[in-house]
Amino acid sequence: QLVESGGGLVQPGGSLTLSCEASGTAFDYNAIAWFRQAPGKEHEGVSCINRSDGTTTYGDSVKGRFTISRDNAKKTVYLQMNSLNAEDTAVYYCATGGPMLYCDGPPKAGDFDSWGQGTQVTVSS
């Protein structure tokens, strides 16, 4: 199971950190990713972190602004989001795929089959 938290309302230019706490075997899987979905749009791959080698990947729209990390002791993956703008407004989800899934680019929703319930991020003044 995956449980996201940390969403909320933030002003443009502000920052938020999202958390994804994993239970069961989910955290043992190699790749854990963040996606987001804005109203009327499909899931967009935001970022992914690979347990095997620690590599991270990002979507073009968040590169340089978002940072993904994981705390193995807490079984939690974080998404630090800086310089937020209105286009970042969405429901953010964390997800895992099969145990050996490896992200070599921005995560693709079709590769992931276990999703959290999501947390709303709203960027507005």
Side-chain angles (χ1 to χ4, degrees), residues 23-81:
S23 60
T25 59
F27 200 73
D28 295 331
Y29 286 4
N30 183 59
I32 296 181
W34 284 96
F35 293 85
R36 66 187 182 186
Q37 187 174 32
K41 294 188 177 181
E42 296 184 352
H43 285 97
E44 176 189 2
V46 174
S47 183
C48 183
I49 186 165
N50 294 303
R51 179 191 179 102
S52 57
D53 57 10
T55 54
T56 58
T57 66
Y58 297 92
D60 288 342
S61 62
V62 306
K63 267 181 197 172
R65 300 188 298 122
F66 290 11
T67 303
I68 191 171
S69 61
R70 61 187 289 157
D71 184 328
N72 292 334
K74 295 183 178 180
K75 292 194 172 184
T76 300
V77 172
Y78 302 97
L79 185 69
Q80 172 68 41
M81 306 185 296

